[in-house]
Amino acid sequence: MTSPDITQTDQPRGLGGDLPTVLLDQIEFHVREHLRPRLEGLTDEEYFFDPGGSGRAWTVHPRAADGEQPPTSLQGGSGQMAIDFEFPEPDPAPLTTIAWRLGHLIVGVLAMRNHSHHGGPPADYMTWDYAATAAEALAQFDAEYKRWIDGVRGWGQEELQLAVGEAEHHWADHSRATLVAHINRELIHHLAEIALLRDLWAHRG
């Protein structure tokens, strides 16, 4: 059986099928209509909420003082707040707070890519100044998301087919379109997790 030749059909072409529109509409709709509104009113208590109640969730917290044992062997951050990591990651992976998940989105998903692809300042997990409050974290997220989505808007059909380059390591030969689709998935996935953590907070105990 052979696939039908869509160039020979009388069926009309659909609207909005070009690649830039599909990629942008997908993430913009979810963030604008669903995910970002779910973050409104986030309190500091929710921001640091340990969903397991054990006190062992990875989170963002004040940096351990000299002589104190930090919660994990890797402590990211350049300011007063640190973020927990281990390498290799434990199995099973630990639960994480909204603070940790927002830190991952802000730095690893957005800010590092903004530096590599959209002229943003250098960023990585070890040198980021992590937010001590929910309001500060949301401001960081909004700024990095805006820089990312504005940059993606500047990539037309041809620009999206260009290879991402060495900044994406073993994905260097893949297209910008592939990277944008990956960032869309990361944002939708982790922001949905954060929304669920807000539900757990609202219905705790």
Side-chain angles (χ1 to χ4, degrees):
M1 173 180 279
T2 59
S3 299
D5 183 356
I6 62 172
T7 64
Q8 301 299 317
T9 183
D10 292 331
Q11 184 174 345
R13 294 180 64 85
L15 298 175
D18 62 286
L19 188 57
T21 300
V22 169
L23 291 172
L24 280 167
D25 282 358
Q26 180 192 47
I27 192 58
E28 281 281 75
F29 176 79
H30 279 284
V31 170
R32 182 181 63 249
E33 299 297 329
H34 296 291
L35 300 174
R36 186 57 180 85
R38 289 285 276 116
L39 299 179
E40 292 300 328
L42 183 69
T43 67
D44 291 347
E45 287 182 295
E46 290 177 277
Y47 181 60
F48 294 115
F49 168 55
D50 177 353
S54 67
R56 294 193 297 271
W58 284 2
T59 190
V60 172
H61 53 79
R63 188 173 300 281
D66 290 343
E68 292 184 357
Q69 182 69 29
T72 57
S73 62
L74 290 177
Q75 294 284 285
S78 62
Q80 295 181 349
M81 304 298 286
I83 192 169
D84 299 323
F85 287 104
E86 293 280 5
F87 186 81
E89 187 177 87
D91 184 14
L95 291 171
T96 56
T97 64
I98 290 175
W100 193 98
R101 290 168 197 256
L102 278 174
H104 169 60
L105 283 174
I106 292 163
V107 182
V109 175
L110 294 172
M112 291 171 62
R113 270 44 184 265
N114 283 335
H115 171 63
S116 299
H117 304 288
H118 300 310
D124 60 61
Y125 287 117
M126 302 307 291
T127 62
W128 190 261
D129 189 4
Y130 291 93
T133 67
E136 184 185 354
L138 293 180
Q140 288 183 354
F141 174 81
D142 289 343
E144 294 303 327
Y145 177 74
K146 184 179 187 304
R147 188 192 296 271
W148 169 255
I149 209 68
D150 286 350
V152 173
R153 285 195 188 100
W155 288 343
Q157 183 73 35
E158 294 303 316
E159 288 88 355
L160 283 168
Q161 300 307 319
L162 298 177
V164 291
E166 294 182 359
E168 297 300 326
H169 308 292
H170 59 278
W171 297 98
D173 294 335
H174 288 69
S175 70
R176 285 173 172 174
T178 303
L179 174 63
V180 174
H182 170 67
I183 299 302
N184 286 1
R185 289 191 297 268
E186 285 279 281
L187 287 167
I188 293 169
H189 169 67
H190 289 299
L191 288 170
E193 290 179 327
I194 292 169
L196 177 59
L197 288 178
R198 295 206 72 185
D199 290 339
L200 290 174
W201 169 262
H203 294 280
R204 68 195 183 283

